Amino acid sequence: MTHQDALAAPASNAEFTPARASVTLLERLAEKLGGRASVAAVFGEPVFREGITVVPVARVGFGFGGGAGREKAGEKDGEGGGGGGGAGAKPLGFIEIKDGAATYKPIRDPWVDVALPLATLLISTLGAKAVRAAVAARPRRRTAG
């Protein structure tokens, strides 16, 4: 029997080890979170109105971790178990389908529209002042003539 066969086989109470409990927990988490981590969870279903179809676009991901345990030699009780998982989704934009043509329209972060121009203005102002200060601090050469 392979390791995968052992994991797939139903476990009796005597075979329900911490490692098997962790695998079972992770399988359940993967089923639950994997089914919920979708574009529809972020936006909803595609919308059809007046000849226009809007299809949501999102970045969706999920991850899992687990653990195991065993009995310690010479002791009554062993320790083990563990597991966890999480999912996340971020809306990116939407695809608009109209008259047979598809157009992607990103969702922009409003802070990028404000912060990027302000940062550019600040850097250019400080850079200009630094250049002027460096030029003013440089000793002037006298020319013979």
Side-chain angles (χ1 to χ4, degrees):
M1 179 181 279
T2 67
H3 179 66
Q4 292 296 331
D5 293 337
L7 295 178
S12 67
N13 287 340
E15 296 173 347
F16 204 72
T17 64
R20 177 69 186 156
S22 295
V23 169
T24 303
L25 175 64
L26 289 175
E27 288 171 349
R28 289 182 184 164
L29 282 171
E31 288 173 19
K32 296 284 185 186
L33 292 175
R36 294 177 191 262
S38 68
V39 173
V42 179
F43 285 103
E45 296 298 322
V47 177
F48 309 97
R49 278 214 182 100
E50 300 175 14
I52 299 173
T53 303
V54 176
V55 180
V57 177
R59 178 179 293 130
V60 180
F62 58 95
F64 303 97
R70 62 181 172 171
E71 293 182 22
K72 296 180 182 178
E75 295 184 22
K76 290 183 180 181
D77 298 321
E79 294 182 357
K90 179 182 179 188
L92 298 178
F94 58 94
I95 299 171
E96 181 181 84
I97 304 171
K98 181 179 178 182
D99 299 327
T103 306
Y104 174 72
K105 299 193 176 183
I107 297 174
R108 294 182 50 109
D109 185 357
W111 282 107
V112 171
D113 293 338
V114 172
L116 189 59
L118 285 177
T120 303
L121 179 65
L122 179 66
I123 290 170
S124 61
T125 302
L126 293 175
K129 285 183 179 183
V131 168
R132 278 185 288 214
V135 169
R138 190 174 58 185
R140 297 184 184 228
R141 293 185 187 175
R142 296 185 185 209
T143 58

